Amino acid sequence: IVAPGSTCPTITYNITGGMKEIRLVLLGFGSANRTLARMLLDKSEKDDSCRHCLRVVASGGSSTSELVPWKVVCIITRRHGSVCVPYSSTSEINVEDALERIGADGILDATLVRNTNEATTSTAHTTATTDDTIKLLNELGKTQAANIVVEAIPSNPKSDGEPAISFIRTALQAGMHVASANKCPLTHTRNDKETYFELQGIAKRNGKIYLHESAVMDGVPIFSLWSNLPGVTCTKIRGLLNSTSTMILSRIEGNIDKVVESDGQVEHVGETFEEALEAAKKVGIVEEDESLDIDGWDAAMKLRALCVFLSSCVNLSSAEDHDVIVPPLEAIPRDTISQINPELICTEFLTSRKKVRSVASAELVDLPSDPAIGRHHPIKTWKMRVQNEFLSQSDPLYNLNGSSASVQFWSDVMGPISVVSQDPTLMDTAYGLFADVVRIAS
């Protein structure tokens, strides 16, 4: 899969001025978007002209800030129905009541719309089809009833990443900006082309912005970090990108400092794999398809997402060297953590103080020219893998336990740069979405 080499992705779209009003579509109203809704309410400031305002950076590159009113004009869910305000109205959805309704496992309906004297376009389906959602997004965009879609829905990462990719594509084509928590658009391909570059191309042609800060590390500012480092080429990535595997391995270790050896046998002081997996499920961090966490799929997808994004940051030596190869997801070697021997973990710690972790790594390497296959110039490719490694005490990843995550970046001019997320919660994910909304509005 070939990613077009260019300058590192930055927010350089042809947009005149900041938003005068933020009109949000919440695509999905699960834990992430509900936490975002509460954050929007908590971070709001009151103004004479609006019920809720967000403080954003003033347009035109100014260092000053300004208050911009925001409202939710549509909430679309699969199980709890959907509700939208009339397309040409000044109505808004009562977010507080919507949160209360979903908390009680209720159905979204027209009673949640303020200014109820106006007719609404609400629906109360217990299921919402992909076609219904695409049609609704088209209408919201074409009528300018909404200007930002916040996407936080489940998708199938092992197959085609749908329906999230189609929803994002539709929103951008209909003239709305997108803030997404989904890694699938950065990971998947379509007709041997990177879906991510396709979506960014649609955004740019329509003068819109597609941001995804929460796609990899729960809202930790990884993507915005690289978007603000001009002229830097990332050459290597290494980190713990899957919180579930780190928690499971931590619990298998237990209080590893109490490992003892008796009569030549190492006594395991932690949990079994099954016990640790069940504990992670109770915390709520295990994917519905647990193999995504256990067998390295999730870490591989996040690693590939970073490589696709960073492929645009490669400084190329000549006009001909214009490609960076990003191997497909299924070509990334992955280790499983389900077969790790607890006694081996304890033995390694007892003898060398090493701990095992599921490490995702990628390195940008050169591929020489090969005219036999039509490659007439040297090009670059990412060499990626997810493997179980025994880490020494000097390793920056050594002390990460629980659900913590970390990633290190090496570059041609700086590094390594380390980013750590200590036991992230839904607040971290929601903040990534919140930050993207504010950036778009600015």
Side-chain angles (χ1 to χ4, degrees):
I1 306 301
V2 177
S6 63
T7 57
C8 189
T10 53
I11 305 172
T12 54
Y13 301 95
N14 186 23
I15 300 171
T16 57
M19 283 186 178
K20 302 305 179 186
E21 181 182 56
I22 300 169
R23 300 186 296 279
L24 297 170
V25 176
L26 300 183
L27 185 49
F29 206 47
S31 299
N33 264 350
R34 291 203 304 273
T35 306
L36 169 65
R38 295 186 186 97
M39 187 174 293
L40 286 166
L41 293 170
D42 291 342
K43 297 286 185 181
S44 289
E45 299 182 32
K46 292 189 178 296
D47 185 80
D48 293 339
S49 61
C50 67
R51 184 188 301 269
H52 300 299
C53 290
L54 284 181
R55 187 165 294 280
V56 304
V57 176
S59 59
S62 170
S63 60
T64 61
S65 62
E66 59 188 3
L67 289 176
V68 177
W70 68 270
K71 63 183 181 181
V72 175
V73 298
C74 190
I75 302 176
I76 304 171
T77 77
R78 181 167 293 179
R79 292 195 309 110
H80 295 279
S82 304
V83 58
C84 297
V85 304
Y87 298 143
S88 59
S89 79
T90 59
S91 303
E92 62 180 298
I93 292 172
N94 188 321
V95 178
E96 296 94 330
D97 287 356
L99 288 167
E100 185 177 344
R101 185 80 58 85
I102 294 297
D105 202 29
I107 296 296
L108 303 177
D109 58 31
T111 61
L112 295 172
V113 179
R114 291 192 174 104
N115 297 340
T116 53
N117 56 311
E118 302 178 11
T120 69
T121 57
S122 65
T123 58
H125 307 301
T126 54
T127 58
T129 68
T130 297
D131 289 343
D132 290 338
T133 302
I134 288 176
K135 181 180 178 181
L136 183 54
L137 289 171
N138 264 314
E139 292 172 346
L140 288 163
K142 298 300 183 184
T143 60
Q144 299 184 5
N147 51 20
I148 301 178
V149 174
V150 182
E151 182 276 319
I153 64 169
S155 291
N156 189 340
K158 278 189 176 179
S159 60
D160 55 6
E162 295 292 354
I165 292 172
S166 290
F167 293 162
I168 293 171
R169 183 185 295 113
T170 299
L172 294 170
Q173 290 172 335
M176 295 179 286
H177 307 283
V178 174
S180 171
N182 205 307
K183 58 183 171 284
C184 288
L186 289 94
T187 302
H188 286 74
T189 60
R190 184 188 189 203
N191 299 326
D192 291 334
K193 302 289 185 182
E194 292 294 344
T195 298
Y196 177 68
F197 290 109
E198 176 207 352
L199 295 176
Q200 288 292 10
I202 294 172
K204 194 163 189 175
R205 288 192 296 274
N206 287 278
K208 302 303 169 186
I209 300 174
Y210 162 42
L211 298 180
H212 42 77
E213 196 68 87
S214 291
V216 169
M217 270 182 67
D218 302 296
V220 173
I222 294 177
F223 297 105
S224 56
L225 166 69
W226 282 94
S227 294
N228 289 282
L229 293 176
V232 178
T233 296
C234 180
T235 57
K236 183 179 176 181
I237 306 167
R238 183 173 181 268
L240 305 184
L241 299 179
N242 181 263
S243 298
T244 302
S245 63
T246 302
M247 173 174 281
I248 289 174
L249 292 172
S250 298
R251 296 185 73 95
I252 292 175
E253 290 170 353
N255 189 348
I256 204 165
D257 289 311
K258 293 185 178 180
V259 169
V260 295
E261 187 174 10
S262 175
D263 297 327
Q265 298 294 316
V266 174
E267 180 183 345
H268 176 228
V269 295
E271 299 175 346
T272 65
F273 171 80
E274 290 75 17
E275 291 169 339
L277 174 60
E278 189 60 32
K281 287 180 178 179
K282 290 180 180 179
V283 175
I285 63 172
V286 180
E287 296 276 2
E288 184 176 347
D289 178 358
E290 61 190 43
S291 68
L292 292 171
D293 295 313
I294 295 169
D295 297 334
W297 277 100
D298 179 71
M301 286 188 290
K302 291 175 178 177
L303 183 65
R304 189 175 195 278
L306 289 172
C307 289
V308 168
F309 176 81
L310 291 169
S311 292
S312 297
C313 305
V314 177
N315 289 324
L316 303 168
S317 59
S318 71
E320 290 83 8
D321 303 341
H322 56 78
D323 293 331
V324 178
I325 294 178
V326 186
L329 183 62
E330 56 271 16
I332 302 174
R334 295 171 288 104
D335 288 348
T336 181
I337 64 170
S338 62
Q339 304 301 317
I340 290 180
N341 187 323
E343 282 69 32
L344 176 61
I345 291 177
C346 295
T347 299
E348 283 289 333
F349 185 80
L350 192 65
T351 58
S352 59
R353 312 303 284 183
K354 289 183 177 180
K355 295 182 180 180
V356 66
R357 291 291 182 267
S358 178
V359 179
S361 61
E363 186 172 4
L364 194 64
V365 298
D366 292 323
L367 280 181
S369 59
D370 189 349
I373 61 173
R375 190 169 66 237
H376 299 284
H377 304 281
I379 60 175
K380 294 184 180 294
T381 185
W382 287 101
K383 185 178 180 180
M384 299 181 282
R385 70 169 300 137
V386 178
Q387 63 181 350
N388 300 326
E389 294 185 18
F390 281 98
L391 308 180
S392 65
Q393 290 177 293
S394 62
D395 196 302
L397 304 177
Y398 181 83
N399 288 316
L400 263 69
N401 297 301
S403 60
S404 299
S406 177
V407 64
Q408 294 175 282
F409 298 101
W410 284 257
S411 76
D412 57 339
V413 293
M414 291 192 306
I417 301 171
S418 297
V419 181
V420 179
S421 176
Q422 192 73 37
D423 292 322
T425 67
L426 280 169
M427 289 288 285
D428 297 68
T429 304
Y431 179 73
L433 292 169
F434 175 87
D436 282 347
V437 169
V438 172
R439 291 188 189 104
I440 291 170
S442 298

